[in-house]
Amino acid sequence: MSGERYNPRESEPKWQKVWEEAQSFVTATDDPRETYYVLEMFPYPSGRIHMGHVRNYAMGDVVARYQRAKGKNVLHPMGWDAFGLPAENAAIERKLNPGTWTRQNIEAMKAQLKSMGLSIDWTREIATCEPEYYQHQQAMFIDMMQAGLVTRKQSKVNWDPVDMTVLANEQVIDGRGWRSGAVVEQRELTQWFFKISDYAEDLLNGLDGLTEWPEKVRTMQRNWIGRSEGLRLLFELLPGTTTSASSIEVFTTRPDTIFGASFVALSPDHPLTAELATENPSLAEFVAECHRQGTATETLEKAEKKGFDTGLSVKHPVVEGATLPVYVANFVLMEYGTGAIFGCPAHDQRDLDFARKYDLPVKPVVLPAGTEAKDFAVGDEAFTDAGTIFNSGFLDGLSIEEAKKTAAEFFAARTVDGKPQGRVEVNYRLRDWGVSRQRYWGCPIPVIHCEVCGTLPVPKKDLPVVLPTDVTFDKPGNALDHHPTWKHVNCPQCGAPARRETDTMDTFVDSSWYYTRFTAPHADTPTIPEVANRWLPVDQYIGGVEHAILHLLYSRYFTRAMKATGHVDLDEPFKGLFTQGMVTHETYKAPSGEWVAPTDVVVETNGDVRTARHLQSGAAITIGSVEKMSKSKRNVVDPDEIVATYGADTARWFMLSDSPPERDVQWTEAGVEGASRFQQRVWRLVIETVELGAQAAVLSRGEPDEEATALRKIVHRAVHQVGTDIEGLRFNRAVAQIYELTNALVRSAGLVAAAPSARLFALEEGVERLVQLIAPMMPHLAEACWELLGKPGLVADALWPEVDESLLVDDTVTLPIQVNGKRRGEIVVSKGLPNAEVERLVLANDAVVRMLEGKAPKKIVVVPDRIVNVVL
Ligand code: ANZ
Ligand code: ZN
């Protein structure tokens, strides 16, 4: 038996079948035990899982299996983020319906996930593209409309004139559509919005309570919400200006710099700009040019600062008799503040670039500490740090913060047009969430437009609004819009012919509540509130940091919206958040400059030198840097191939072992092989233990000797440590503990043969614990070992081993023995052993006996728990 190798290819499918038949991971809601909800971000069904998925799900599965073993009622579901653009693109390329393509992919990926042996409750599987799911999203959309959480308004969008669709800011690259390459236009479209900005303050404050989130994610969310306290400030237009307004209101966060103001600038979309442009064709042309440039914040930041002098002037609010010119500037956004600013070039980089270009004054008003006013000048770089206000009349000598307050109070007390000149205002960078997409493959927005009655929600009894399947993609644009009949309906109120909304929802809506649906996936309402409340918040959410902002913020908002509409009773959906690092791999390049896949490369190591050649042609290959696995660099390893070669347990183990989970992990052949060898090592240890047990069956198990107790201490400490490390998500440290434990057990297996009656028990106990410790990580191997050990039931159902606390305390000390001041040996004794006992042991020590040569020592000095001195 000991020659037998563990064969994952046979073992893994076998145990997967056993778990499935026993319904081991099906979760019941009425189970009275404490709940634990662990969730990995659900995948987009692209067709195949990648190594990033393997890492993500391996981590989640360790947590799920561990918490089950700790006696919790664990919810660990899986689903599919199944709507979105790639399906439509595939449909166009392959002439397949997006639904067919998506469902095929789901089947393929589900089989792959199953081959990983994940402890998932598949009875709760959901796919966001199925009416069973999205009908509830439609119902909640209607609830949100009725609760005033949804609005419909005009907004500027990036419009791709070739693909005939709206593009997200990220899809506009250098002013062109990412797929079509067409120059993107700005269009005003009427769109649906969730009023997330109403929750800006609440979403910001809620972050303080999310103590189990990475600090960096909380910071990213804070910055995204972007709270700033500022002042709305009125600038009077000079008397005689023939515009409908007599003043311009700006928003500023730096009223302390008002004495340094040198111009006022309006957004190209400001109403006053529009008014002036009707009379001024060159201004109209400038505005059109700004629109072509795009509104993506990033584009704006990189773009050259450009302005148009309107010829208007305003009074300087504090410098008597001075005036400031009014420009229209491409970097002023209409959606922020008031859509107008005052520029202080000395202390704002954009303003400085602008001032240099249009030759406007640059007057410094903040003096850096330790600088003389006469020595301070601003060159090409604005001074934006702290300092003392100068050149500023009544603000001179104040700090920035003091000056902000003083200026705000000053302007609040003055009036312009009968209104206070300044009003303190809090602003947020967070915009309302536009959810309309002119796309087929998404959740239809459940609304009907009637010329008489206006825009009405679809009556709930008529839900779901199902996507038609007989669509064609031969024309660019929205296939729903092109469908001959789908959009033609009768008005639910007056019965007249009306038009169905053909926009679908942003796929981020789908992923904003799926974790709630998992708690009652088959309910005929969106949630069963008391069930959702019992499971939520998710105890541990695990996913990539790329979702740190949008997905998590939208989910936090949606939970609040669901609370406002009575679907759940909580604010924060995710109690613990963990963002895992990426999986990387070396890159390989052929002489032609093409990337070569790792499977086509043979790497040879000669001492410290590693060389590579092409597997088929033998051509020399350059070994490049280690990069995130990506198709473009071809440095990907296919999970299917790894599972076929090494088994899922090896892949899981390696993913968990090599680096801290929040860091990147480099996939290497050597690493996987090491993991595979470890698997065999555990298997051999179990076989050996069983054989020793069989040989010793006739022996009665005696009292454990020192050797046995030492081993038991190692075992119990490992059980304790692995548990704490898994709870702290330090999987690599848990793995390191297990390696150490295995080494200790392998060593002691050799010693057991010498004294089976005293030591076998400790070895058996240790090996059994080892099998339980590896079970969350290598569940198939663990089941096979459990069976071999003759344990009843499944290790997947076994409770986490109890730790004998008395074995955790280190209750022995090693005392050095000195004879006439020279170290001659040592003894291990229990802590606090009485001196007389210590003396007795010392006198029996071999080295001491030899040196005494039969005589009695002059003196023995025992320093308790420290050292023993023998004087001859
Ligand atoms: C004068 C000033 C002087 C400013 C100075 C800054 C530095 P945050 O902090 O990000 O909220 N601003 C206001 N509305 C704007 C808009 N619609 N588009 C572009 N820029 C706008 O930024 C607030 C600052 O950004 C405001 O404070 C304003 O410029 C500018 F030394 O006012 B400041
Ligand atoms: Zn009507």
Side-chain angles (χ1 to χ4, degrees):
M1 181 152 113
S2 32
E4 228 175 81
R5 284 176 66 79
Y6 176 69
N7 182 350
R9 250 174 297 177
E10 265 170 34
S11 173
E12 293 187 351
K14 169 184 154 186
W15 293 108
Q16 286 158 19
K17 198 155 159 258
V18 170
W19 295 323
E20 180 141 4
E21 279 167 6
Q23 304 224 314
S24 298
F25 309 119
V26 175
T27 305
T29 293
D30 53 11
D31 186 320
R33 293 174 300 166
E34 191 186 334
T35 61
Y36 192 93
Y37 188 175
V38 52
L39 185 66
E40 300 94 60
M41 291 180 183
F42 69 163
Y44 177 79
S46 59
R48 305 196 61 73
I49 65 168
H50 53 68
M51 276 300 173
H53 292 127
V54 174
R55 191 176 194 203
N56 191 196
Y57 303 136
M59 290 180 190
D61 203 43
V62 171
V63 175
R65 286 176 180 269
Y66 172 76
Q67 294 292 348
R68 266 174 61 80
K70 292 294 276 186
K72 305 258 179 75
N73 183 25
V74 172
L75 177 56
H76 185 212
M78 181 61 72
W80 310 95
D81 191 10
F83 274 137
L85 212 52
E88 280 191 44
N89 295 339
I92 296 163
E93 276 157 30
R94 295 167 218 212
K95 307 244 171 301
L96 268 178
N97 182 277
T100 314
W101 182 82
T102 305
R103 290 183 190 100
Q104 282 172 1
N105 288 349
I106 288 177
E107 280 322 300
M109 289 173 75
K110 188 171 166 180
Q112 286 186 296
L113 289 185
K114 287 199 162 179
S115 78
M116 280 183 66
L118 304 171
S119 63
I120 283 168
D121 180 354
W122 285 104
T123 67
R124 291 174 188 257
E125 180 184 5
I126 53 183
T128 57
C129 66
E130 303 301 346
E132 292 73 45
Y133 181 80
Y134 69 68
Q135 64 177 320
H136 302 294
Q137 193 164 307
Q138 292 174 334
M140 287 195 290
F141 186 91
I142 293 167
D143 293 343
M144 285 169 70
M145 274 176 89
Q146 281 156 357
L149 297 164
V150 180
T151 179
R152 194 160 177 259
K153 58 185 176 187
Q154 287 244 322
S155 114
K156 263 207 317 193
V157 293
N158 305 306
W159 179 259
D160 183 323
V162 171
D163 274 356
M164 286 178 53
T165 186
V166 168
L167 298 178
N169 285 344
E170 300 77 46
Q171 294 168 335
V172 181
I173 296 154
D174 298 330
R176 290 172 183 274
W178 64 305
R179 286 194 66 239
S180 68
V183 175
V184 168
E185 298 166 6
Q186 300 301 305
R187 279 213 182 168
E188 286 276 346
L189 279 191
T190 308
Q191 310 246 78
W192 290 97
F193 287 84
F194 288 149
K195 296 199 282 176
I196 186 171
S197 58
D198 287 354
Y199 284 80
E201 186 77 41
D202 191 39
L203 288 167
L204 186 67
N205 293 337
L207 291 169
D208 295 337
L210 296 175
T211 52
E212 292 175 44
W213 280 39
E215 193 47 50
K216 71 168 180 225
V217 174
R218 295 201 286 169
T219 303
M220 285 161 90
Q221 292 223 346
R222 278 194 193 101
N223 292 340
W224 187 263
I225 296 168
R227 181 183 198 276
S228 63
E229 236 172 60
L231 196 70
R232 279 178 176 248
L233 185 59
L234 290 171
F235 283 76
E236 281 176 89
L237 283 157
L238 292 190
T241 312
T242 58
T243 52
S244 58
S246 58
S247 60
I248 294 171
E249 191 175 36
V250 307
F251 175 70
T252 176
T253 49
R254 295 293 305 274
D256 56 302
T257 65
I258 190 66
F259 282 89
S262 65
F263 64 94
V264 161
L266 304 170
S267 161
D269 301 305
H270 195 281
L272 183 55
T273 307
E275 187 181 326
L276 296 169
T278 55
E279 314 261 300
N280 186 341
S282 20
L283 175 56
E285 175 45 36
F286 176 76
V287 170
E289 192 191 316
C290 293
H291 287 169
R292 283 194 294 273
Q293 176 203 352
T295 51
T297 322
E298 215 186 315
T299 330
L300 281 182
E301 249 143 45
K302 277 190 245 143
E304 191 191 340
K305 310 288 170 282
K306 280 189 206 147
F308 186 96
D309 188 350
T310 64
L312 302 182
S313 297
V314 291
K315 285 193 201 164
H316 197 301
V318 283
V319 180
E320 207 54 54
T323 64
L324 303 172
V326 178
Y327 281 78
V328 173
N330 64 344
F331 63 89
V332 185
L333 306 165
M334 194 56 219
E335 294 78 22
Y336 190 63
T338 60
I341 63 158
F342 81 77
C344 174
H347 303 293
D348 182 282
Q349 193 58 45
R350 293 174 306 180
D351 296 350
L352 183 61
D353 297 345
F354 192 82
R356 293 288 182 226
K357 182 154 181 191
Y358 296 104
D359 215 10
L360 297 162
V362 178
K363 174 184 170 191
V365 291
V366 182
L367 189 65
T371 316
E372 291 286 326
K374 61 175 170 43
D375 303 332
F376 182 57
V378 169
D380 287 338
E381 211 175 305
F383 176 70
T384 55
D385 293 339
T388 308
I389 306 293
F390 75 129
N391 286 342
S392 294
F394 66 97
L395 299 176
D396 277 354
L398 299 180
S399 71
I400 290 178
E401 286 315 310
E402 288 161 348
K404 278 184 183 176
K405 255 187 91 190
T406 308
E409 281 161 13
F410 174 82
F411 289 120
R414 292 216 314 203
T415 52
V416 166
D417 294 343
K419 286 183 283 181
Q421 184 169 22
R423 275 190 299 132
V424 172
E425 188 185 71
V426 174
N427 253 287
Y428 297 93
R429 191 156 299 275
L430 183 65
R431 292 286 99 81
D432 279 341
W433 175 12
V435 295
S436 292
R437 295 292 178 273
Q438 292 69 41
R439 278 288 161 195
Y440 163 74
W441 193 233
C443 170
I445 294 178
V447 159
I448 291 167
H449 303 282
C450 168
E451 279 189 3
V452 183
C453 313
T455 297
L456 302 168
V458 172
K460 279 206 181 158
K461 66 171 172 48
D462 295 341
L463 293 183
V465 177
V466 179
L467 281 176
T469 49
D470 52 338
V471 279
T472 53
F473 294 90
D474 40 14
K475 280 188 278 195
N478 182 353
L480 278 183
D481 222 15
H482 305 148
H483 191 279
T485 56
W486 189 77
K487 66 181 168 193
H488 302 298
V489 286
N490 291 330
C491 169
Q493 196 162 299
C494 72
R499 186 176 58 83
R500 207 184 263 300
E501 173 70 66
T502 54
D503 283 357
T504 55
M505 288 183 219
D506 180 3
T507 56
F508 274 112
V509 182
D510 313 340
S511 54
S512 287
W513 72 284
Y514 76 105
Y515 49 87
T516 312
R517 186 67 189 162
F518 278 137
T519 65
H522 311 296
D524 47 21
T525 46
T527 70
I528 301 172
E530 59 279 18
V531 174
N533 296 340
R534 178 160 147 70
W535 284 110
L536 292 169
V538 173
D539 292 278
Q540 187 61 59
Y541 196 34
I542 309 178
V545 76
E546 66 274 17
H547 294 297
I549 300 179
L550 291 186
H551 163 57
L552 293 170
L553 193 64
Y554 290 153
S555 298
R556 296 181 59 221
Y557 163 72
F558 214 86
T559 307
R560 286 161 167 82
M562 289 175 78
K563 183 180 177 184
T565 49
H567 294 291
V568 293
D569 187 19
L570 76 155
D571 291 317
E572 292 295 342
F574 310 121
K575 181 159 163 274
L577 172 71
F578 189 83
T579 53
Q580 95 265 8
M582 289 178 308
V583 185
T584 63
H585 197 288
E586 267 180 347
T587 49
Y588 305 107
K589 226 174 202 180
S592 62
E594 273 172 35
W595 300 106
V596 185
T599 41
D600 293 335
V601 175
V602 185
V603 178
E604 275 146 4
T605 311
N606 200 340
D608 284 346
V609 188
R610 295 173 74 242
T611 51
R613 59 184 167 78
H614 197 278
L615 176 67
Q616 289 84 21
S617 71
I621 295 281
T622 317
I623 302 180
S625 56
V626 176
E627 308 267 356
K628 173 190 176 178
M629 283 191 183
S630 79
K631 276 188 203 136
S632 64
K633 300 220 163 77
R634 299 198 64 196
N635 61 337
V636 288
V637 170
D638 180 16
D640 265 358
E641 270 171 41
I642 298 298
V643 170
T645 316
Y646 297 98
D649 283 344
T650 298
R652 294 169 57 127
W653 181 257
F654 176 60
M655 278 301 182
L656 296 164
S657 65
D658 236 39
S659 40
E662 65 279 10
R663 301 254 193 86
D664 291 353
V665 61
Q666 187 188 343
W667 184 271
T668 63
E669 190 86 356
V672 191
E673 272 172 3
S676 178
R677 275 196 306 276
F678 177 68
Q679 176 169 301
Q680 297 299 341
R681 192 152 190 245
V682 171
W683 182 244
R684 277 198 311 277
L685 174 64
V686 171
I687 290 177
E688 210 178 320
T689 306
V690 171
E691 283 174 349
L692 281 168
Q695 288 160 17
V698 286
L699 279 174
S700 59
R701 265 81 159 158
E703 279 294 299
D705 64 0
E706 241 173 67
E707 194 68 45
T709 307
L711 182 63
R712 293 197 68 212
K713 285 190 174 177
I714 294 173
V715 170
H716 283 257
R717 247 176 251 146
V719 172
H720 174 74
Q721 263 313 310
V722 170
T724 3
D725 283 337
I726 293 178
E727 276 167 36
L729 309 177
R730 294 178 297 266
F731 306 113
N732 60 317
R733 285 190 23 196
V735 164
Q737 295 284 351
I738 294 174
Y739 270 123
E740 244 179 70
L741 171 63
T742 311
N743 287 341
L745 290 169
V746 168
R747 253 184 277 124
S748 78
L751 297 174
V752 168
S757 63
R759 297 174 185 171
L760 184 60
F761 165 73
L763 176 68
E764 284 176 338
E765 178 193 51
V767 169
E768 186 185 318
R769 297 291 191 271
L770 170 67
V771 170
Q772 286 188 269
L773 297 191
I774 61 166
M777 299 156 186
M778 297 199 282
H780 310 89
L781 173 68
E783 292 294 2
C785 294
W786 195 249
E787 184 181 49
L788 202 60
L789 289 171
K791 306 297 294 179
L794 296 169
V795 72
D797 293 329
L799 284 179
W800 195 250
E802 295 283 343
V803 173
D804 183 341
E805 299 282 341
S806 72
L807 291 170
L808 293 186
V809 287
D810 202 355
D811 55 358
T812 60
V813 275
T814 305
L815 297 181
I817 304 173
Q818 291 192 350
V819 180
N820 285 347
K822 263 194 132 173
R823 190 187 167 116
R824 297 291 177 187
E826 56 184 38
I827 47 168
V828 179
V829 301
S830 322
K831 271 188 189 154
L833 193 70
N835 286 0
E837 289 282 302
V838 176
E839 283 176 27
R840 204 170 52 80
L841 288 169
V842 169
L843 290 173
N845 179 273
D846 286 349
V848 177
V849 169
R850 257 198 320 278
M851 296 199 70
L852 280 175
E853 295 171 333
K855 287 175 275 190
K858 283 206 183 101
K859 205 159 66 171
I860 299 182
V861 184
V862 179
V863 185
D865 295 346
R866 299 288 295 279
I867 197 166
V868 184
N869 264 305
V870 182
V871 183
L872 295 184

Short mmCIF file of all heavy atoms in Angstrom, two decimals, residues 450 452-453 456 491 493-496, ligand 2:
data_model
loop_
_atom_site.label_atom_id
_atom_site.label_comp_id
_atom_site.label_asym_id
_atom_site.label_seq_id
_atom_site.Cartn_x
_atom_site.Cartn_y
_atom_site.Cartn_z
N CYS A 450 -46.37 57.69 -22.88
CA CYS A 450 -47.64 57.96 -23.56
C CYS A 450 -47.70 59.45 -23.87
O CYS A 450 -47.33 60.28 -23.04
CB CYS A 450 -48.81 57.57 -22.65
SG CYS A 450 -50.41 58.17 -23.24
N VAL A 452 -50.14 61.32 -24.11
CA VAL A 452 -51.14 62.02 -23.30
C VAL A 452 -50.78 61.99 -21.82
O VAL A 452 -50.75 63.01 -21.15
CB VAL A 452 -52.55 61.38 -23.50
CG1 VAL A 452 -53.61 62.15 -22.73
CG2 VAL A 452 -52.89 61.32 -24.98
N CYS A 453 -50.49 60.79 -21.31
CA CYS A 453 -50.32 60.63 -19.86
C CYS A 453 -48.88 60.85 -19.40
O CYS A 453 -48.61 60.89 -18.20
CB CYS A 453 -50.77 59.25 -19.41
SG CYS A 453 -52.35 58.78 -20.09
N LEU A 456 -44.91 56.60 -17.63
CA LEU A 456 -45.56 55.81 -16.58
C LEU A 456 -44.79 54.51 -16.33
O LEU A 456 -44.27 53.91 -17.27
CB LEU A 456 -46.99 55.42 -17.01
CG LEU A 456 -47.95 56.53 -17.36
CD1 LEU A 456 -49.18 55.94 -18.03
CD2 LEU A 456 -48.33 57.30 -16.12
N CYS A 491 -51.00 52.38 -23.74
CA CYS A 491 -50.77 53.08 -22.48
C CYS A 491 -51.56 52.38 -21.37
O CYS A 491 -52.75 52.12 -21.53
CB CYS A 491 -51.21 54.53 -22.61
SG CYS A 491 -51.25 55.38 -21.02
N GLN A 493 -52.64 53.54 -18.81
CA GLN A 493 -53.60 54.43 -18.15
C GLN A 493 -54.76 54.77 -19.08
O GLN A 493 -55.92 54.56 -18.73
CB GLN A 493 -52.88 55.71 -17.73
CG GLN A 493 -53.66 56.53 -16.72
CD GLN A 493 -52.73 57.51 -16.01
OE1 GLN A 493 -51.77 57.13 -15.33
NE2 GLN A 493 -53.00 58.79 -16.19
N CYS A 494 -54.48 55.26 -20.31
CA CYS A 494 -55.56 55.70 -21.19
C CYS A 494 -55.81 54.73 -22.33
O CYS A 494 -56.80 54.86 -23.05
CB CYS A 494 -55.28 57.10 -21.73
SG CYS A 494 -53.96 57.12 -22.97
N GLY A 495 -54.93 53.77 -22.52
CA GLY A 495 -55.15 52.76 -23.55
C GLY A 495 -54.73 53.18 -24.94
O GLY A 495 -54.74 52.38 -25.88
N ALA A 496 -54.31 54.43 -25.11
CA ALA A 496 -53.89 54.89 -26.44
C ALA A 496 -52.57 54.24 -26.83
O ALA A 496 -51.82 53.80 -25.97
CB ALA A 496 -53.75 56.41 -26.41
ZN ZN B 2 -51.94 57.42 -21.77
#
